[in-house]
Amino acid sequence: MTKTIPRIGSRRNGRIASRKNGRRIPKGVIHVQAGFNNTIVTVTDIRGRVVSWSSAGTCGFRGRRRGTPFAAQITAANAIRTVVDQGMQRAEVMIKGPGLGRDGALRAIHRSGILLSFVRDVTPMPHNGCRPPKKRRI
């Protein structure tokens, strides 16, 4: 009779946990989406896989306060704190949207100690927009 080895937890959960903890990220991309009502900060590795994210809503801000520069600062600091622990030293920053949180998020990223390769504005701009609907005939 062979003795069975007891497994602790499910195999799938163990594999995912070890993969997330074991990954070291020296360089990444920080995406800031600054809308009028919210600010979302997402940190990815170079290949685009999300490592960490945060939004003003998940940081405890509600209503109009989510769109403020202070909420963006707190949001960016929360998103970056976890990746700094994983060893991120350099990052590229992509800022999208017209909101007030653009400068606040950038200020918090700069303060976190991560070296910025570049800061790029990727706000989508229509070159002439969509075709308007045809005029209504009476």
Side-chain angles (χ1 to χ4, degrees):
M1 292 284 291
T2 57
K3 196 173 187 181
T4 59
I5 300 167
R7 277 196 341 200
I8 302 167
S10 66
R11 183 177 146 253
R12 195 183 77 186
N13 290 343
R15 182 167 48 90
I16 286 175
S18 65
R19 179 172 48 126
K20 286 211 172 188
N21 293 340
R23 202 188 303 163
R24 294 201 47 85
I25 309 150
K27 190 174 182 203
V29 184
I30 302 170
H31 299 270
V32 179
Q33 295 179 342
F36 289 119
N37 296 323
N38 203 356
T39 304
I40 303 169
V41 179
T42 309
V43 184
T44 66
D45 59 4
I46 293 297
R47 292 177 60 189
R49 295 177 297 191
V50 174
V51 182
S52 170
W53 70 273
S54 182
S55 74
T58 59
C59 292
F61 293 95
R62 288 284 172 256
R64 293 290 303 269
R65 294 185 62 208
R66 288 183 303 181
T68 60
F70 177 69
Q73 269 182 303
I74 301 295
T75 303
N78 280 1
I80 291 170
R81 191 178 303 126
T82 55
V83 291
V84 168
D85 295 342
Q86 291 181 354
M88 183 181 281
Q89 293 139 0
R90 306 182 72 222
E92 305 166 356
V93 180
M94 309 285 196
I95 300 181
K96 181 191 286 188
L100 296 172
R102 297 163 59 98
D103 297 331
L106 191 57
R107 195 176 299 123
I109 292 167
H110 192 71
R111 229 186 262 151
S112 68
I114 292 178
L115 292 170
L116 302 182
S117 306
F118 61 82
V119 179
R120 180 179 291 168
D121 185 13
V122 290
T123 305
M125 288 286 186
H127 286 277
N128 203 10
C130 300
R131 181 176 174 160
K134 63 183 184 181
K135 298 292 180 222
R136 217 174 134 207
R137 286 196 298 261
I138 299 173

